[in-house]
mmCIF file of all heavy atoms in Angstrom:
data_model
loop_
_atom_site.group_PDB
_atom_site.id
_atom_site.type_symbol
_atom_site.label_atom_id
_atom_site.label_comp_id
_atom_site.label_asym_id
_atom_site.label_seq_id
_atom_site.Cartn_x
_atom_site.Cartn_y
_atom_site.Cartn_z
ATOM 1 N N ARG V 138 18.082 -15.304 -0.796
ATOM 2 C CA ARG V 138 18.789 -14.059 -1.090
ATOM 3 C C ARG V 138 18.084 -12.872 -0.460
ATOM 4 O O ARG V 138 16.853 -12.811 -0.460
ATOM 5 C CB ARG V 138 18.878 -13.858 -2.610
ATOM 6 C CG ARG V 138 19.749 -14.936 -3.262
ATOM 7 C CD ARG V 138 19.658 -14.966 -4.781
ATOM 8 N NE ARG V 138 20.584 -15.970 -5.290
ATOM 9 C CZ ARG V 138 21.802 -15.698 -5.768
ATOM 10 N NH1 ARG V 138 22.216 -14.440 -5.835
ATOM 11 N NH2 ARG V 138 22.584 -16.654 -6.182
ATOM 12 N N ALA V 139 18.869 -11.942 0.061
ATOM 13 C CA ALA V 139 18.331 -10.718 0.641
ATOM 14 C C ALA V 139 18.636 -9.559 -0.303
ATOM 15 O O ALA V 139 19.790 -9.349 -0.698
ATOM 16 C CB ALA V 139 18.950 -10.451 2.006
ATOM 17 N N LEU V 140 17.604 -8.814 -0.647
ATOM 18 C CA LEU V 140 17.732 -7.642 -1.501
ATOM 19 C C LEU V 140 17.594 -6.411 -0.615
ATOM 20 O O LEU V 140 16.567 -6.231 0.040
ATOM 21 C CB LEU V 140 16.646 -7.652 -2.572
ATOM 22 C CG LEU V 140 16.778 -8.779 -3.595
ATOM 23 C CD1 LEU V 140 15.443 -9.105 -4.214
ATOM 24 C CD2 LEU V 140 17.784 -8.387 -4.668
ATOM 25 N N ILE V 141 18.633 -5.577 -0.575
ATOM 26 C CA ILE V 141 18.602 -4.443 0.338
ATOM 27 C C ILE V 141 18.903 -3.148 -0.399
ATOM 28 O O ILE V 141 19.610 -3.136 -1.409
ATOM 29 C CB ILE V 141 19.566 -4.630 1.527
ATOM 30 C CG1 ILE V 141 21.026 -4.614 1.072
ATOM 31 C CG2 ILE V 141 19.267 -5.922 2.269
ATOM 32 C CD1 ILE V 141 22.001 -4.625 2.224
ATOM 33 N N GLU V 142 18.345 -2.068 0.142
ATOM 34 C CA GLU V 142 18.627 -0.737 -0.372
ATOM 35 C C GLU V 142 19.566 -0.039 0.589
ATOM 36 O O GLU V 142 19.379 -0.083 1.810
ATOM 37 C CB GLU V 142 17.336 0.069 -0.521
ATOM 38 C CG GLU V 142 17.555 1.441 -1.123
ATOM 39 C CD GLU V 142 16.273 2.145 -1.536
ATOM 40 O OE1 GLU V 142 15.191 1.537 -1.417
ATOM 41 O OE2 GLU V 142 16.368 3.312 -1.962
ATOM 42 N N LEU V 143 20.571 0.621 0.029
ATOM 43 C CA LEU V 143 21.619 1.261 0.805
ATOM 44 C C LEU V 143 21.559 2.773 0.653
ATOM 45 O O LEU V 143 20.985 3.294 -0.309
ATOM 46 C CB LEU V 143 22.997 0.791 0.312
ATOM 47 C CG LEU V 143 23.231 -0.714 0.269
ATOM 48 C CD1 LEU V 143 24.404 -1.028 -0.634
ATOM 49 C CD2 LEU V 143 23.479 -1.235 1.671
ATOM 50 N N GLU V 144 22.216 3.475 1.578
ATOM 51 C CA GLU V 144 22.445 4.901 1.393
ATOM 52 C C GLU V 144 23.486 5.067 0.278
ATOM 53 O O GLU V 144 24.435 4.278 0.178
ATOM 54 C CB GLU V 144 22.970 5.524 2.684
ATOM 55 C CG GLU V 144 21.982 5.484 3.839
ATOM 56 C CD GLU V 144 20.756 6.326 3.561
ATOM 57 O OE1 GLU V 144 20.904 7.496 3.156
ATOM 58 O OE2 GLU V 144 19.639 5.804 3.737
ATOM 59 N N PRO V 145 23.333 6.079 -0.576
ATOM 60 C CA PRO V 145 24.239 6.193 -1.723
ATOM 61 C C PRO V 145 25.669 6.553 -1.358
ATOM 62 O O PRO V 145 26.574 6.343 -2.162
ATOM 63 C CB PRO V 145 23.603 7.301 -2.574
ATOM 64 C CG PRO V 145 22.728 8.062 -1.633
ATOM 65 C CD PRO V 145 22.267 7.077 -0.610
ATOM 66 N N HIS V 146 25.889 7.090 -0.143
ATOM 67 C CA HIS V 146 27.240 7.499 0.246
ATOM 68 C C HIS V 146 27.472 7.143 1.715
ATOM 69 O O HIS V 146 26.536 6.954 2.479
ATOM 70 C CB HIS V 146 27.431 9.012 0.069
ATOM 71 C CG HIS V 146 27.140 9.496 -1.309
ATOM 72 N ND1 HIS V 146 27.938 9.214 -2.381
ATOM 73 C CD2 HIS V 146 26.094 10.227 -1.785
ATOM 74 C CE1 HIS V 146 27.431 9.755 -3.468
ATOM 75 N NE2 HIS V 146 26.303 10.367 -3.143
ATOM 76 N N GLY V 147 28.737 7.067 2.076
ATOM 77 C CA GLY V 147 29.085 6.946 3.483
ATOM 78 C C GLY V 147 29.197 5.517 3.970
ATOM 79 O O GLY V 147 29.084 4.556 3.212
ATOM 80 N N THR V 148 29.430 5.399 5.269
ATOM 81 C CA THR V 148 29.622 4.095 5.895
ATOM 82 C C THR V 148 28.355 3.731 6.669
ATOM 83 O O THR V 148 27.290 3.619 6.082
ATOM 84 C CB THR V 148 30.861 4.122 6.806
ATOM 85 O OG1 THR V 148 30.747 5.192 7.745
ATOM 86 C CG2 THR V 148 32.124 4.311 5.985
ATOM 87 N N MET V 149 28.456 3.539 7.955
ATOM 88 C CA MET V 149 27.278 3.235 8.753
ATOM 89 C C MET V 149 27.222 4.183 9.935
ATOM 90 O O MET V 149 28.241 4.473 10.556
ATOM 91 C CB MET V 149 27.301 1.787 9.258
ATOM 92 C CG MET V 149 26.045 1.416 10.042
ATOM 93 S SD MET V 149 26.014 -0.307 10.602
ATOM 94 C CE MET V 149 27.264 -0.278 11.880
ATOM 95 N N ARG V 150 26.033 4.668 10.221
ATOM 96 C CA ARG V 150 25.840 5.460 11.425
ATOM 97 C C ARG V 150 24.574 5.004 12.123
ATOM 98 O O ARG V 150 23.652 4.497 11.490
ATOM 99 C CB ARG V 150 25.800 6.960 11.125
ATOM 100 C CG ARG V 150 24.719 7.401 10.184
ATOM 101 C CD ARG V 150 24.931 8.855 9.777
ATOM 102 N NE ARG V 150 23.941 9.279 8.800
ATOM 103 C CZ ARG V 150 22.778 9.835 9.090
ATOM 104 N NH1 ARG V 150 22.458 10.040 10.367
ATOM 105 N NH2 ARG V 150 21.924 10.186 8.150
ATOM 106 N N ARG V 151 24.584 5.160 13.422
ATOM 107 C CA ARG V 151 23.456 4.723 14.242
ATOM 108 C C ARG V 151 22.992 5.884 15.110
ATOM 109 O O ARG V 151 23.784 6.739 15.490
ATOM 110 C CB ARG V 151 23.864 3.557 15.146
ATOM 111 C CG ARG V 151 24.419 2.363 14.401
ATOM 112 C CD ARG V 151 24.859 1.288 15.359
ATOM 113 N NE ARG V 151 25.516 0.192 14.674
ATOM 114 C CZ ARG V 151 25.939 -0.904 15.265
ATOM 115 N NH1 ARG V 151 25.803 -1.049 16.570
ATOM 116 N NH2 ARG V 151 26.518 -1.859 14.575
ATOM 117 N N ASP V 152 21.723 5.876 15.425
ATOM 118 C CA ASP V 152 21.183 6.907 16.293
ATOM 119 C C ASP V 152 19.829 6.438 16.811
ATOM 120 O O ASP V 152 19.316 5.400 16.366
ATOM 121 C CB ASP V 152 21.026 8.230 15.533
ATOM 122 C CG ASP V 152 21.092 9.450 16.447
ATOM 123 O OD1 ASP V 152 20.902 9.286 17.677
ATOM 124 O OD2 ASP V 152 21.331 10.559 15.934
ATOM 125 N N ARG V 153 19.281 7.200 17.736
ATOM 126 C CA ARG V 153 17.887 7.006 18.126
ATOM 127 C C ARG V 153 17.055 8.003 17.334
ATOM 128 O O ARG V 153 17.470 9.155 17.150
ATOM 129 C CB ARG V 153 17.712 7.212 19.631
ATOM 130 C CG ARG V 153 18.358 6.130 20.467
ATOM 131 C CD ARG V 153 18.088 6.318 21.951
ATOM 132 N NE ARG V 153 18.468 7.634 22.408
ATOM 133 C CZ ARG V 153 17.617 8.569 22.873
ATOM 134 N NH1 ARG V 153 16.319 8.304 22.949
ATOM 135 N NH2 ARG V 153 18.055 9.739 23.275
ATOM 136 N N VAL V 154 15.890 7.575 16.880
ATOM 137 C CA VAL V 154 15.046 8.420 16.049
ATOM 138 C C VAL V 154 13.593 8.315 16.527
ATOM 139 O O VAL V 154 13.228 7.410 17.283
ATOM 140 C CB VAL V 154 15.131 8.022 14.560
ATOM 141 C CG1 VAL V 154 16.555 8.177 14.032
ATOM 142 C CG2 VAL V 154 14.651 6.583 14.347
ATOM 143 N N ARG V 155 12.800 9.247 16.061
ATOM 144 C CA ARG V 155 11.363 9.166 16.285
ATOM 145 C C ARG V 155 10.659 9.884 15.148
ATOM 146 O O ARG V 155 11.264 10.692 14.420
ATOM 147 C CB ARG V 155 10.965 9.779 17.624
ATOM 148 C CG ARG V 155 11.172 11.281 17.720
ATOM 149 C CD ARG V 155 10.720 11.797 19.073
ATOM 150 N NE ARG V 155 10.943 13.239 19.192
ATOM 151 C CZ ARG V 155 10.604 13.942 20.262
ATOM 152 N NH1 ARG V 155 10.041 13.330 21.299
ATOM 153 N NH2 ARG V 155 10.829 15.248 20.296
ATOM 154 N N VAL V 156 9.382 9.587 14.989
ATOM 155 C CA VAL V 156 8.551 10.272 14.009
ATOM 156 C C VAL V 156 7.525 11.082 14.783
ATOM 157 O O VAL V 156 6.809 10.540 15.643
ATOM 158 C CB VAL V 156 7.851 9.276 13.069
ATOM 159 C CG1 VAL V 156 6.985 10.011 12.051
ATOM 160 C CG2 VAL V 156 8.888 8.410 12.345
ATOM 161 N N GLY V 157 7.474 12.395 14.504
ATOM 162 C CA GLY V 157 6.555 13.252 15.250
ATOM 163 C C GLY V 157 6.908 13.254 16.726
ATOM 164 O O GLY V 157 8.072 13.364 17.108
ATOM 165 N N ASP V 158 5.896 13.089 17.567
ATOM 166 C CA ASP V 158 6.132 13.063 19.013
ATOM 167 C C ASP V 158 6.132 11.638 19.554
ATOM 168 O O ASP V 158 5.873 11.403 20.727
ATOM 169 C CB ASP V 158 5.072 13.898 19.735
ATOM 170 C CG ASP V 158 3.657 13.403 19.460
ATOM 171 O OD1 ASP V 158 3.508 12.462 18.661
ATOM 172 O OD2 ASP V 158 2.706 13.956 20.039
ATOM 173 N N GLY V 159 6.451 10.696 18.682
ATOM 174 C CA GLY V 159 6.425 9.286 19.068
ATOM 175 C C GLY V 159 7.598 8.871 19.928
ATOM 176 O O GLY V 159 8.483 9.671 20.279
ATOM 177 N N THR V 160 7.635 7.600 20.256
ATOM 178 C CA THR V 160 8.686 7.021 21.083
ATOM 179 C C THR V 160 9.990 6.930 20.300
ATOM 180 O O THR V 160 9.997 6.625 19.102
ATOM 181 C CB THR V 160 8.259 5.613 21.538
ATOM 182 O OG1 THR V 160 7.017 5.707 22.218
ATOM 183 C CG2 THR V 160 9.294 4.981 22.437
ATOM 184 N N TRP V 161 11.096 7.163 20.970
ATOM 185 C CA TRP V 161 12.409 7.012 20.345
ATOM 186 C C TRP V 161 12.711 5.531 20.128
ATOM 187 O O TRP V 161 12.362 4.690 20.958
ATOM 188 C CB TRP V 161 13.486 7.620 21.236
ATOM 189 C CG TRP V 161 13.358 9.112 21.388
ATOM 190 C CD1 TRP V 161 12.731 9.781 22.387
ATOM 191 C CD2 TRP V 161 13.879 10.101 20.505
ATOM 192 N NE1 TRP V 161 12.831 11.138 22.187
ATOM 193 C CE2 TRP V 161 13.526 11.364 21.042
ATOM 194 C CE3 TRP V 161 14.604 10.054 19.309
ATOM 195 C CZ2 TRP V 161 13.878 12.567 20.436
ATOM 196 C CZ3 TRP V 161 14.968 11.247 18.705
ATOM 197 C CH2 TRP V 161 14.599 12.483 19.261
ATOM 198 N N PHE V 162 13.356 5.214 19.023
ATOM 199 C CA PHE V 162 13.749 3.835 18.753
ATOM 200 C C PHE V 162 15.079 3.833 18.003
ATOM 201 O O PHE V 162 15.448 4.820 17.357
ATOM 202 C CB PHE V 162 12.663 3.095 17.951
ATOM 203 C CG PHE V 162 12.268 3.753 16.645
ATOM 204 C CD1 PHE V 162 12.889 3.391 15.456
ATOM 205 C CD2 PHE V 162 11.264 4.717 16.603
ATOM 206 C CE1 PHE V 162 12.521 3.975 14.249
ATOM 207 C CE2 PHE V 162 10.889 5.310 15.409
ATOM 208 C CZ PHE V 162 11.524 4.940 14.228
ATOM 209 N N PRO V 163 15.843 2.723 18.102
ATOM 210 C CA PRO V 163 17.153 2.676 17.441
ATOM 211 C C PRO V 163 17.016 2.492 15.936
ATOM 212 O O PRO V 163 16.147 1.755 15.463
ATOM 213 C CB PRO V 163 17.825 1.463 18.091
ATOM 214 C CG PRO V 163 16.687 0.598 18.540
ATOM 215 C CD PRO V 163 15.569 1.518 18.902
ATOM 216 N N TRP V 164 17.892 3.159 15.194
ATOM 217 C CA TRP V 164 17.889 3.071 13.734
ATOM 218 C C TRP V 164 19.319 3.169 13.235
ATOM 219 O O TRP V 164 20.213 3.633 13.948
ATOM 220 C CB TRP V 164 17.042 4.200 13.134
ATOM 221 C CG TRP V 164 16.655 3.941 11.706
ATOM 222 C CD1 TRP V 164 17.231 4.460 10.582
ATOM 223 C CD2 TRP V 164 15.613 3.083 11.248
ATOM 224 N NE1 TRP V 164 16.604 3.965 9.446
ATOM 225 C CE2 TRP V 164 15.603 3.128 9.842
ATOM 226 C CE3 TRP V 164 14.672 2.285 11.906
ATOM 227 C CZ2 TRP V 164 14.709 2.389 9.066
ATOM 228 C CZ3 TRP V 164 13.780 1.556 11.137
ATOM 229 C CH2 TRP V 164 13.797 1.619 9.743
ATOM 230 N N ALA V 165 19.547 2.704 12.023
ATOM 231 C CA ALA V 165 20.879 2.813 11.416
ATOM 232 C C ALA V 165 20.734 3.184 9.947
ATOM 233 O O ALA V 165 19.704 2.913 9.315
ATOM 234 C CB ALA V 165 21.639 1.489 11.548
#
Side-chain angles (χ1 to χ4, degrees):
R138 294 168 177 261
L140 293 155
I141 67 173
E142 183 168 357
L143 306 162
E144 295 295 311
H146 304 290
T148 54
M149 183 178 71
R150 59 190 176 91
R151 303 177 186 183
D152 206 341
R153 291 184 306 115
V154 299
R155 67 179 179 178
V156 180
D158 59 356
T160 303
W161 294 95
F162 56 93
W164 197 260

